Amino acid sequence: MSSHAKLTPEASRALGMRLQALRADFGWTQAEVAGLIGLSRGHYRTLELGHRDYGDRATSNPTIATLLELARVYRIDPKELIDLVLENSGK
């Protein structure tokens, strides 16, 4: 088992829904966003889904670096994404 914290399913879903909305606002494809932040389209897709869609369906768990890149690309304050995760973490 990994020693680092994992997002709750609720936090992963909330983040994914926000990412989908932001991407729609910009009119971009998942592949375009993924390319801008240095991820594969499949990896970015798991962030929007909030989980992997195969096997154990583990929740997505983006790094702080990924959240910072997402905020940069979507031109928002990184605090918005971090607060969203915290508000939906159930803690």
Side-chain angles (χ1 to χ4, degrees), residues 13-87:
R13 279 192 295 273
L15 178 62
M17 289 172 42
R18 182 65 180 128
L19 294 177
Q20 287 175 24
L22 286 165
R23 184 172 57 80
D25 289 347
F26 280 81
W28 292 336
T29 66
Q30 289 178 338
E32 288 171 323
V33 176
L36 290 169
I37 63 173
L39 297 178
S40 69
R41 190 202 63 83
H43 188 165
Y44 180 79
R45 182 172 180 266
T46 65
L47 297 177
E48 284 195 1
L49 285 173
H51 61 79
R52 297 189 301 230
D53 62 347
Y54 58 88
D56 60 8
R57 298 179 70 87
T59 58
S60 63
N61 201 36
T63 64
I64 292 293
T66 297
L67 292 177
L68 292 173
E69 280 299 298
L70 287 164
R72 179 188 61 79
V73 164
Y74 287 129
R75 300 180 201 132
I76 60 172
D77 187 329
K79 187 175 182 322
E80 178 183 333
L81 298 178
I82 294 167
D83 286 347
L84 179 69
V85 167
L86 292 174
E87 290 166 6

